Amino acid sequence: MSVNKILIVDDEQAIVRLLSMSLKSDGYDTCTASSGEEALDVFEKQSPDIVVTDIKMPGMDGLELLKRIKERDPDKEVIIVTGHGDIDSTITALQYGASDFINKPVRDEALAIALERAQTKIRIREQLASYTQDLEEKVAEATVEIRRKSNFQRLLIHSSHDAIVAFDQDWQIVVYNPEAARMFEKRARNVLNKMTIDDLYPPELAASFRKEARNGSDDRGDIPWKEMVLETRNQKQIPVRYATSVLHEKNEFMGIVNFFQDLTEIKRLEKELIQSERMAAIGQTVSGLAHYVKNILIGLKGGSYVVDVGFQHSNMEKVKSGWQTIQKNIERVANLTQDMLTYAKERHPEVKLCAPNEIVTEVKDLVSEFAKAHDIEIITRCDPEMGQMWLDPGTVHRALLNLVNNAIDACMEEDDLDRQFKVEIRTGKTEAGAAVFEIEDNGCGMDEETKRKLFTPMFSSKGGKGTGLGLLVTKKLVEEHHGTIDIDTRLGYGSLFTMTLPERPETGRDENDK
């Protein structure tokens, strides 16, 4: 705002006229009055920016005029024109808020300086008012934004499905949402700013959070999620998942926030799911076992019938044939029982210094006659570098025998009778020194569905001939030996089983070093 209008007040008309002409020549707009009373009327009507008034006037003097103007508008500037030696009036003028004072006779230079000072004050005041207004607007905007964010956070905390409890640096509760009220069964109005961590939590839990606040947080002040059973002050036990954030400001501890997720419903569903899976597994296992046992019983009945017929007709050949059938099914029962015991029982490998190639030869000798009877060739290609190794020979023998028998069965199930069936057993070592056994056949092979279900309990690709436990037992024995078993198969072209067993696992080493 530019200062343009100046009110000149003096009872001497010549001075008023002279000052008015001078100021107009400097670009100012002027108005005049010859007394204090007239000056107030002009001031009300024209609202000048600066008033230049003589101090000695009849009626209302300059000091009274100054006082009245400041009462109407304290932002207006008043310059007092005084005579020489009138110090008391000058002091009073300053006390009333005069902008400046100049002596009579008024010199142009002195008036110009006084006007400049008055204008400077007006500009500073206007700038300050503008800055103040801007600041107030910005504060108002910031206040609205802070209030909006605060309301959002409050709503977020209030509607959270997690129980949220925050403590300040004195461990007093300062945030406590409705889910926390439900979990701890205490109303917010009885907790907020009234209870401490020791009042809300059991002693050991409060001590744990204090300790975590001191030592356990990461760089962001967060302590990872954990699970526990929360026991409230009312002896209510709730399975929860919880996390803690430790609050710091300029490295000073400000408090912690606890988040609790009630896992009661999840745990209940998990328990129901486990129970359902267990019941399904039991049903599947019982069904499979019943079917297999039924087949064995049929075999036993058939054998006993043939034996009876043989005795009735004194035909020893029939007795012998029936007895062989009975023996075969007794062996099946024995194998089934052994598989079930092996699968159910936890077992540690019994490592000994043994020759893997000799075990392969033993397995070959066991199955050769049976394989030969069905025109299946058993071939062994043993690595002479195998030598002796620290392995569980029982695991190697049992697993190899299962896999070779499966390979023979796969050859017997293939419909292409023109094919020359063979089962090849190979041995070798990995670079890490683990023993490798490969059992490859050119039998019926498997499709992807059969391969995927191969290690499912009671699943057998042999129909009624298999127990559905053989490969499960083999896999269990291999895993107990910290080994692996891999399958490469193609329907109609055969299968390759690769069993890898690391030498001298830790459990066996200790036992054999004794």
Side-chain angles (χ1 to χ4, degrees):
M1 176 182 176
S2 60
V3 178
N4 292 318
K5 182 167 287 187
I6 299 173
L7 171 60
I8 302 168
V9 186
D10 201 311
D11 58 336
E12 297 183 33
Q13 291 298 317
I15 293 176
V16 170
R17 187 166 54 254
L18 184 61
L19 287 176
S20 179
M21 291 174 59
S22 176
L23 291 174
K24 284 183 177 179
S25 66
D26 291 337
Y28 293 104
D29 183 13
T30 63
C31 52
T32 61
S34 58
S35 65
E37 292 79 3
E38 183 183 357
L40 286 177
D41 291 338
V42 175
F43 181 83
E44 291 293 338
K45 294 175 181 175
Q46 302 196 29
S47 186
D49 304 305
I50 300 173
V51 177
V52 179
T53 179
D54 189 13
I55 197 169
K56 298 292 185 182
M57 293 185 295
M60 182 186 298
D61 62 9
L63 292 177
E64 182 62 21
L65 177 61
L66 166 64
K67 184 180 177 182
R68 299 274 186 94
I69 289 175
K70 285 295 183 181
E71 288 173 352
R72 285 168 170 76
D73 190 344
D75 291 339
K76 299 299 183 182
E77 296 298 331
V78 179
I79 299 172
I80 300 296
V81 179
T82 68
H84 285 290
D86 195 359
I87 298 302
D88 293 338
S89 299
T90 302
I91 293 173
T92 302
L94 291 174
Q95 290 174 341
Y96 284 169
S99 172
D100 210 338
F101 58 90
I102 55 179
N103 293 321
K104 281 187 175 181
V106 177
R107 292 185 295 114
D108 291 343
E109 296 79 3
L111 180 59
I113 291 172
L115 289 173
E116 181 62 29
R117 288 175 180 169
Q119 289 176 325
T120 301
K121 288 182 179 179
I122 293 172
R123 283 197 297 272
I124 291 174
R125 191 181 298 115
E126 290 174 348
Q127 289 175 353
L128 182 60
S130 177
Y131 293 154
T132 301
Q133 184 177 359
D134 290 344
L135 183 60
E136 289 175 348
E137 290 176 355
K138 290 179 180 177
V139 169
E141 292 174 358
T143 301
V144 170
E145 181 64 15
I146 291 172
R147 185 177 294 113
R148 188 188 67 80
K149 289 183 177 178
S150 176
N151 289 337
F152 178 77
Q153 291 176 352
R154 184 180 56 78
L155 184 62
L156 197 64
I157 293 172
H158 186 83
S159 60
S160 173
H161 291 270
D162 292 351
I164 302 175
V165 185
F167 303 88
D168 62 12
Q169 64 272 25
D170 297 322
W171 297 102
Q172 193 169 52
I173 300 172
V174 291
V175 174
Y176 185 81
N177 72 343
E179 179 61 15
R182 184 197 67 79
M183 187 174 292
F184 292 98
E185 297 181 332
K186 294 183 184 297
R187 294 184 177 182
R189 64 169 179 263
N190 298 327
V191 171
L192 284 171
N193 300 311
K194 295 179 180 177
M195 295 179 65
T196 67
I197 190 171
D198 299 305
D199 301 322
L200 185 67
Y201 297 155
E204 61 279 7
L205 184 59
S208 172
F209 285 138
R210 288 178 190 273
K211 182 178 179 181
E212 287 183 340
R214 287 195 302 270
N215 307 320
S217 62
D218 60 16
D219 294 339
R220 297 187 310 168
D222 295 337
I223 297 173
W225 287 90
K226 301 176 183 176
E227 287 191 14
M228 68 172 180
V229 176
L230 175 66
E231 184 172 351
T232 67
R233 287 282 187 177
N234 298 331
Q235 279 71 50
K236 182 180 178 183
Q237 292 189 336
I238 307 171
V240 296
R241 185 169 178 262
Y242 72 99
T244 302
S245 289
V246 184
L247 309 177
H248 291 94
E249 186 177 69
K250 297 180 179 178
N251 297 324
E252 290 292 330
F253 173 70
M254 298 300 294
I256 68 169
V257 183
N258 291 140
F259 303 89
F260 297 94
Q261 294 178 348
D262 190 344
L263 302 180
T264 302
E265 184 64 14
I266 293 176
K267 292 295 182 184
R268 186 186 67 79
L269 292 174
E270 286 180 351
K271 190 175 180 180
E272 287 183 1
L273 179 61
I274 292 172
Q275 184 67 15
S276 298
E277 290 177 345
R278 185 176 298 154
M279 294 302 294
I282 290 174
Q284 185 182 20
T285 303
V286 170
S287 175
L289 284 175
H291 183 72
Y292 189 63
V293 170
K294 185 185 73 174
N295 289 340
I296 294 175
L297 287 175
I298 291 173
L300 287 171
K301 286 182 179 178
S304 64
Y305 175 76
V306 173
V307 170
D308 287 341
V309 172
F311 280 128
Q312 289 172 5
H313 296 82
S314 300
N315 187 338
M316 292 309 295
E317 287 299 322
K318 281 193 175 292
V319 172
K320 184 178 179 181
S321 174
W323 178 240
Q324 287 176 343
T325 301
I326 292 172
Q327 285 181 314
K328 185 177 179 181
N329 283 284
I330 289 174
E331 184 181 355
R332 283 184 177 181
V333 172
N335 290 336
L336 175 62
T337 304
Q338 183 61 45
D339 283 348
M340 291 173 63
L341 289 174
T342 303
Y343 186 63
K345 182 180 178 182
E346 187 177 356
R347 174 181 178 275
H348 296 292
E350 297 177 359
V351 175
K352 298 177 181 176
L353 196 60
C354 60
N357 289 344
E358 292 181 2
I359 300 175
V360 170
T361 301
E362 291 175 8
V363 171
K364 178 185 178 184
D365 291 342
L366 283 173
V367 302
S368 287
E369 288 299 323
F370 180 80
K372 185 178 179 181
H374 294 83
D375 296 326
I376 300 171
E377 183 181 10
I378 304 296
I379 303 170
T380 57
R381 299 187 189 280
C382 297
D383 183 355
E385 300 297 326
M386 291 287 284
Q388 290 189 321
M389 299 182 67
W390 288 96
L391 299 170
D392 179 356
T395 293
V396 176
H397 188 277
R398 184 75 182 276
L400 272 179
L401 188 59
N402 277 340
L403 294 176
V404 171
N405 276 328
N406 283 347
I408 292 172
D409 289 340
C411 292
M412 293 170 61
E413 291 173 11
E414 172 56 42
D415 296 330
D416 183 5
L417 300 180
D418 295 332
R419 190 184 304 176
Q420 177 58 53
F421 293 110
K422 61 180 180 180
V423 174
E424 187 168 315
I425 310 171
R426 299 186 289 269
T427 63
K429 275 187 172 183
T430 66
E431 292 183 358
V436 177
F437 302 88
E438 292 182 339
I439 301 91
E440 185 172 23
D441 67 77
N442 62 344
C444 61
M446 292 174 276
D447 56 18
E448 284 300 318
E449 180 70 12
T450 303
K451 180 182 174 183
R452 187 174 60 81
K453 294 181 177 178
L454 210 53
F455 295 105
T456 302
M458 305 312 298
F459 173 78
S460 175
S461 61
K462 304 174 187 176
K465 298 179 182 178
T467 65
L469 290 174
L471 277 177
L472 274 181
V473 170
T474 302
K475 185 171 183 288
K476 176 177 178 289
L477 292 172
V478 170
E479 290 178 345
E480 287 172 345
H481 208 291
H482 302 288
T484 59
I485 183 166
D486 299 305
I487 307 162
D488 184 13
T489 183
R490 186 180 174 192
L491 187 62
Y493 290 87
S495 303
L496 169 63
F497 284 75
T498 303
M499 179 173 66
T500 305
L501 299 177
E503 188 178 19
R504 200 180 184 187
E506 186 177 354
T507 52
R509 183 198 300 271
D510 294 339
E511 293 174 2
N512 286 281
D513 286 346
K514 292 178 181 177

